[in-house]
Amino acid sequence: MVRFSQYVVSILSLFLWGEPEVPPAEGGCLLNNSSALTATNQRSNASKSIAIVGAGSAGLAILKTILDLPQETRHGWEVVLYEQRRNVGGLWLPDPNEPQPPKLPETPLYPRLRTNTPHPTMTYPGYTFRPHTPLFPTHEYVEQYHVDFAVNNNLTSYIRLNHTVHSAGWKGNSTVGEWVVEVHHTNGEVKSITKRSFDHLIVANGHNHYPRIPKFQGTDEWLAHTPTGTRKREIEHSIFYRYPERYVNMTVLVVGGGASGRDAVLQVGPIATYHSLKEDKEPTPDANVTVVPRISHFTRTSIVLVDGRSLDDVDAVILATGYEFLVPFLSRPSSDQDASVGLVESPKTTLNCTTAPTLITNLRYIFPLWEHIFSLSQQYPPTALSFVGLPVLIANCPSDIAQALLIAHALADPSTLPSRAEMLADLVAQESRLRERGYDPYYAGHKMVGGDDDAQAYQNNLVRYLKQKGRLPDDGKDYVEPWRRIARKESFLLGRAWRRIEDNGEADKWLDGVETEDQWADLILRLVNWQRKHEDKYGLHGSVYVGQPWDESGF
């Protein structure tokens, strides 16, 4: 069914990928060969033009939320979503090809990936997974969920597949202007380049594309001296990881305690594995590995750890060390010489949110952003550039909707937002609170450092703010429902329960008749009580871990 729906969306892209309410000025001509023709287009006659980049969970969330605004509010708006890949789904859409390092793959997704939280906690509010979806599904189900969401909510006609945003530069000042957006489109052997102007740019292209590669002294020498009679030594980031069988007859060192690192040691561990963790990281439950401290350096013959021990038998190193916060199309110079770049890459910057003259990324943190969403750069108005999906250690789809609600209402009425000065003061205060808790905000970046408590408070505060401003009805409830909070808190308990159910072949019995959000919530609560009674009586027999690729917090 997954592949059939992909085919349906592909057909829709041909026949229903029509024009939005105000047709975008796509323009340009296509050549009959692989060369490209650049066509400079004038801005459209839309009352407001909005470009969204990325059709993963964040992009679909903001597109749906904008279209949910009252018709009279968005009358005359032009909304276009550009997606560089062949379909929606973001990192859940498998790469059609095997990774060929050093060329980066399209996604870090690996074939044995499953979610590590129950899928009802991951959903857009009010939109569930299909009936009979396993509680901890494999990646195919999550990909299908995004396809279903796009098709069933009539989003497809606004999405341009195989369209890569190459550059986006701001042409204007702090109060008025436009984004000059250059888009590259590929259709088989035919390529085209189009330039468009937009009032607003929304970045929703994820942050699991560009690996963070730690530098260790001596790696080149270690790689160059593979012992005779053994496989060639290698060091690769987990973005290239796909199958544990690749490491048969090898001793592997996995670096990093995030989700991908934990998944790697569980999958590769039965072969022969070390797991290098920071001092504050817990070992992976049930992993058949030897836990070691952080790496100090490499020598010709060994990997030296910070405690002085040496590992002499390692053949391969998997770096599950996270990803850099980069947005290349915002940092690439525009073909329009009057347009300035939207984001400056500066890994060693000493600037902060009050001294930065423009938006900056130090590769861990994009700043200054209010609520991880709105750019406070003085180059353009606060609603000109916004981000969806930057927070890490959070349930993506519900968080994406919470952010999208604030963006959509701010686009409809900029007075929804505080003044730039007020937002900057609020950001400074937030960074100070992080420091008081022992975190450097410019290192912690967009992580919800307090885990689910911080993540849920963040979402609740965004929606509560809109209620206080009168943009949403005040029902007196938190945005994050009690059952989601319980399910997130009890994810490991629920994982053990679900493994017990699958081992006993009883999944269908539990899933029969479960379709609505309320029914999934009821199932969650019943499972928590069922498993807790079992463990109170018999004790905890084993644990479960199944991972997700975006939690790379361990390094």
Side-chain angles (χ1 to χ4, degrees):
M1 186 64 75
V2 171
R3 299 306 166 198
F4 174 74
S5 288
Q6 287 181 330
Y7 174 74
V8 170
V9 173
S10 297
I11 294 298
L12 284 170
S13 71
L14 293 176
F15 295 103
L16 296 182
W17 249 229
E19 303 300 337
E21 293 166 325
V22 177
E26 288 291 320
C29 301
L30 301 180
L31 299 181
N32 293 322
N33 53 48
S34 60
S35 61
L37 174 67
T38 300
T40 302
N41 298 276
Q42 302 300 316
R43 55 180 293 118
S44 71
N45 295 322
S47 60
K48 192 184 299 289
S49 54
I50 303 164
I52 303 168
V53 184
S57 63
L60 297 179
I62 183 60
L63 177 58
K64 169 70 161 54
T65 305
I66 290 174
L67 297 178
D68 280 346
L69 290 171
Q71 179 65 39
E72 59 271 20
T73 299
R74 59 182 178 85
H75 176 71
W77 289 16
E78 175 194 8
V79 185
V80 182
L81 187 155
Y82 294 112
E83 167 55 50
Q84 67 179 353
R85 301 184 66 196
R86 67 190 186 280
N87 211 336
V88 304
L91 59 80
W92 296 103
L93 176 64
D95 197 320
N97 305 304
E98 288 295 310
Q100 298 293 329
K103 181 182 178 182
L104 294 179
E106 294 183 8
T107 172
L109 185 147
Y110 38 96
R112 298 185 187 183
L113 176 67
R114 297 179 71 175
T115 68
N116 71 339
T117 54
H119 68 74
T121 70
M122 301 167 54
T123 56
Y124 299 113
Y127 193 86
T128 65
F129 276 68
R130 291 184 175 191
H132 278 269
T133 298
L135 196 62
F136 290 82
T138 57
H139 64 85
E140 292 92 348
Y141 289 93
V142 188
E143 177 194 355
Q144 180 69 61
Y145 177 78
H146 289 85
V147 171
D148 290 345
F149 186 81
V151 173
N152 295 336
N153 287 294
N154 300 314
L155 306 183
T156 57
S157 62
Y158 298 86
I159 300 173
R160 302 290 181 266
L161 298 177
N162 300 308
H163 281 66
T164 299
V165 175
H166 176 75
S167 64
W170 178 255
K171 188 175 182 180
N173 54 43
S174 62
T175 58
V176 66
E178 62 187 16
W179 290 100
V180 179
V181 179
E182 182 177 309
V183 180
H184 295 192
H185 171 51
T186 302
N187 184 10
E189 295 298 318
V190 181
K191 299 179 181 179
S192 65
I193 298 176
T194 304
K195 285 196 347 185
R196 285 289 323 278
S197 296
F198 290 94
D199 302 313
H200 304 275
L201 181 62
I202 302 174
V203 179
N205 64 336
H207 47 75
N208 293 285
H209 303 298
Y210 305 101
R212 180 182 298 127
I213 309 293
K215 304 295 184 183
F216 299 107
Q217 181 180 351
T219 54
D220 289 344
E221 187 177 14
W222 182 80
L223 288 169
H225 290 87
T226 298
T228 302
T230 64
R231 286 172 58 179
K232 184 176 177 60
R233 286 173 171 172
E234 61 182 62
I235 302 174
E236 286 186 355
H237 192 273
S238 60
I239 194 172
F240 298 105
Y241 173 80
R242 293 298 182 267
Y243 300 97
E245 292 82 3
R246 181 175 180 275
Y247 298 97
V248 169
N249 298 324
M250 300 179 76
T251 298
V252 181
L253 171 63
V254 178
V255 180
S260 293
R262 296 193 293 268
D263 257 11
V265 298
L266 284 171
Q267 293 183 18
V268 182
I271 299 171
T273 304
Y274 297 102
H275 193 187
S276 173
L277 294 173
K278 293 173 68 173
E279 293 78 4
D280 59 345
K281 289 296 176 181
E282 293 291 330
T284 303
D286 287 356
N288 182 26
V289 297
T290 300
V291 176
V292 298
R294 292 178 293 114
I295 295 172
S296 169
H297 61 279
F298 289 67
T299 70
R300 176 175 178 170
T301 60
S302 62
I303 300 173
V304 182
L305 307 173
V306 292
D307 64 359
R309 284 184 288 166
S310 295
L311 304 179
D312 302 320
D313 57 342
V314 173
D315 303 299
V317 178
I318 299 175
L319 299 172
T321 48
Y323 295 85
E324 296 177 337
F325 282 83
L326 290 167
V327 188
F329 66 82
L330 277 180
S331 303
R332 191 172 289 124
S334 171
S335 56
D336 189 321
Q337 295 183 352
D338 295 327
S340 57
V341 297
L343 178 66
V344 173
E345 298 175 8
S346 184
K348 297 182 179 181
T349 183
T350 58
L351 296 170
N352 58 43
C353 66
T354 60
T355 60
T358 185
L359 196 66
I360 293 177
T361 177
N362 66 5
L363 307 188
R364 288 184 176 269
Y365 185 42
I366 297 175
F367 65 94
L369 293 177
W370 187 60
E371 295 289 6
H372 306 281
I373 300 173
F374 294 100
S375 172
L376 300 182
S377 167
Q378 298 185 26
Q379 291 180 301
Y380 36 76
T383 61
L385 177 62
S386 54
F387 293 77
V388 186
L390 286 183
V392 181
L393 305 183
I394 199 166
N396 291 86
C397 289
S399 172
D400 293 339
I401 291 291
Q403 292 184 310
L405 285 167
L406 184 54
I407 294 172
H409 284 280
L411 294 179
D413 181 2
S415 70
T416 298
L417 299 182
S419 68
R420 190 195 305 265
E422 290 172 321
M423 289 189 283
L424 186 58
D426 186 53
L427 174 57
V428 171
Q430 170 63 20
E431 292 183 352
S432 296
R433 288 191 291 271
L434 281 173
R435 291 188 181 94
E436 290 170 1
R437 296 167 65 181
Y439 298 99
D440 177 357
Y442 292 82
Y443 185 88
H446 302 285
K447 289 180 183 174
M448 301 286 108
V449 296
D452 284 334
D453 289 342
D454 280 11
Q456 292 159 9
Y458 170 74
Q459 297 170 70
N460 288 336
N461 290 338
L462 293 180
V463 176
R464 188 176 299 119
Y465 173 81
L466 287 170
K467 293 176 180 178
Q468 292 170 349
K469 297 290 290 186
R471 302 306 192 267
L472 294 176
D474 192 348
D475 56 5
K477 299 179 181 179
D478 283 340
Y479 172 72
V480 180
E481 307 96 318
W483 67 264
R484 282 190 202 258
R485 294 198 295 271
I486 293 172
R488 293 284 296 187
K489 180 180 179 181
E490 302 290 357
S491 287
F492 283 95
L493 178 78
L494 287 163
R496 295 192 294 271
W498 193 250
R499 186 173 69 176
R500 187 155 68 99
I501 287 169
E502 289 188 330
D503 287 347
N504 293 332
E506 297 179 343
D508 286 343
K509 182 180 75 173
W510 283 87
L511 294 174
D512 280 345
V514 180
E515 298 183 9
T516 68
E517 191 169 74
D518 287 342
Q519 289 168 340
W520 282 109
D522 177 69
L523 174 65
I524 291 286
L525 299 178
R526 286 191 287 119
L527 282 172
V528 167
N529 292 329
W530 178 72
Q531 183 66 13
R532 187 171 288 140
K533 288 179 181 178
H534 175 80
E535 294 184 2
D536 287 345
K537 185 175 182 178
Y538 298 105
L540 193 156
H541 296 292
S543 62
V544 67
Y545 179 79
V546 281
Q548 60 187 21
W550 57 80
D551 173 9
E552 291 288 357
S553 59
F555 187 77

